[in-house]
Amino acid sequence: DAGITQSPRYKITETGRQVTLMCHQTWSHSYMFWYRQDLGHGLRLIYYSAAADITDKGEVPDGYVVSRSKTENFPLTLESATRSQTSVYFCASIDPIDTEAFFGQGTRLTVV
Amino acid sequence: AQSVTQLGSHVSVSEGALVLLRCNYSSSVPPYLFWYVQYPNQGLQLLLKYTTGATLVKGINGFEAEFKKSETSFHLTKPSAHMSDAAEYFCAVRPGGATNKLIFGTGTLLAVQP
C-alpha cells in the first residue's frame, strides 16, 4: 500500500530501555520528519531529514537519535527512555514541490 | 524565529453555526500556511494550504481560510458546522526559503453541540 506507515502503533517500555520507532514511506519523498504530540504543546519537531544520510535537529532533540540510510526509512531511537518521553509520535514526509506533508497514524509510547 | 499562535485551545459551536478558528504566525519571509485536522486516534489530514496566488483558499469539507499578510493571520472558517467537524485543528507554517520544516500551533479542539 502506498503511504507512510509507522510501527508499532502502541508501545509500553520501561525507564532506561532503548526503543526504536519505525517509519516507512513509499513515495520516495526526500524530506522526512519526526514530531511528538503532547497536550498543550501541539506537535513539536524532534528531528528531520532532507535526504538519505542528511539529518538535523528540530525543537526538542534531546534523548533521541535518528538515522536515514535509505530514503524510504527514518527510524527514531530513544537511547534511554524516560517518563517525559511518554507521548504520541508522528512521522511525516513532504514532497517539496507539492508542499503537502503526509503523516503516519502515530505511535503511542508509554514509558513506565 | 518562526512561530504559530492559535487563539483558543477549545472552541464550542452549535450545529449549523459559523466556525471560526484563529491562527496568527510570525515569519521573516513569505510563508506557506496550512490547516490540518486530526480525528481521535488518527494522524493529521490536510484541510487546505496557502502557497502563492489567491489569498482566499478553499479546502475539503467546506472549510476555507484567508491569508492576510498585513495581519499575519490565516483564520479557518466554515459557514455551517456539522457534528462530523468535531476534531482537533492545527495551523502550521512552513517558513519561506530553503527549509521545508513545518512549525505547528498548539491546536484547537472544536466541539459541535447538537
Side-chain angles (χ1 to χ4, degrees):
Chain A
D1 291 336
I4 184 164
T5 55
Q6 294 182 233
S7 61
R9 288 293 312 277
Y10 303 91
K11 176 74 176 179
I12 300 174
T13 192
E14 294 178 340
T15 302
R17 289 195 178 270
Q18 182 181 85
V19 60
T20 296
L21 309 184
M22 304 301 294
C23 179
H24 174 79
Q25 53 115 345
T26 61
W27 297 294
S28 299
H29 289 164
S30 55
Y31 280 85
M32 295 187 74
F33 304 81
W34 274 107
Y35 290 89
R36 60 177 290 174
Q37 183 179 17
D38 304 288
L39 197 63
H41 292 279
L43 279 82
R44 293 181 290 175
L45 183 63
I46 305 171
Y47 268 96
Y48 66 103
S49 169
D53 297 321
I54 301 175
T55 62
D56 207 349
K57 296 178 180 179
E59 182 184 355
V60 288
D62 293 343
Y64 303 95
V65 174
V66 293
S67 62
R68 187 128 179 247
S69 58
K70 293 183 178 181
T71 299
E72 60 267 30
N73 296 324
F74 191 38
L76 175 74
T77 297
L78 287 67
E79 295 182 295
S80 178
T82 65
R83 290 180 181 171
S84 64
Q85 293 177 309
T86 292
S87 186
V88 181
Y89 291 85
F90 286 100
C91 179
S93 69
I94 287 183
D95 177 348
I97 297 175
D98 183 60
T99 74
E100 179 177 347
F102 296 88
F103 285 82
Q105 292 291 87
T107 294
R108 184 175 295 276
L109 176 68
T110 302
V111 183
V112 298
Chain B
Q2 297 85 5
S3 66
V4 178
T5 301
Q6 291 184 240
L7 292 177
S9 58
H10 291 80
V11 171
S12 182
V13 301
S14 298
E15 192 173 18
L18 171 71
V19 175
L20 171 61
L21 305 183
R22 299 178 186 274
C23 173
N24 288 87
Y25 69 91
S26 68
S27 177
S28 56
V29 295
Y32 292 169
L33 295 160
F34 305 81
W35 276 99
Y36 283 85
V37 60
Q38 184 183 33
Y39 298 101
N41 296 316
Q42 294 190 22
L44 279 73
Q45 177 184 3
L46 181 68
L47 269 180
L48 49 78
K49 64 182 178 184
Y50 168 79
T51 54
T52 59
T55 56
L56 181 62
V57 180
K58 295 187 184 298
I60 62 172
N61 301 337
F63 284 92
E64 61 182 37
E66 186 171 11
F67 169 56
K68 292 187 177 181
K69 185 178 179 181
S70 61
E71 299 177 7
T72 61
S73 69
F74 192 56
H75 302 330
L76 182 70
T77 61
K78 182 174 181 178
S80 177
H82 294 176
M83 297 295 290
S84 60
D85 294 328
E88 189 155 24
Y89 292 81
F90 292 93
C91 182
V93 60
R94 175 188 157 188
T99 181
N100 278 292
K101 292 190 291 184
L102 270 182
I103 299 168
F104 284 86
T106 53
T108 298
L109 188 62
L110 175 67
V112 182
Q113 307 300 327

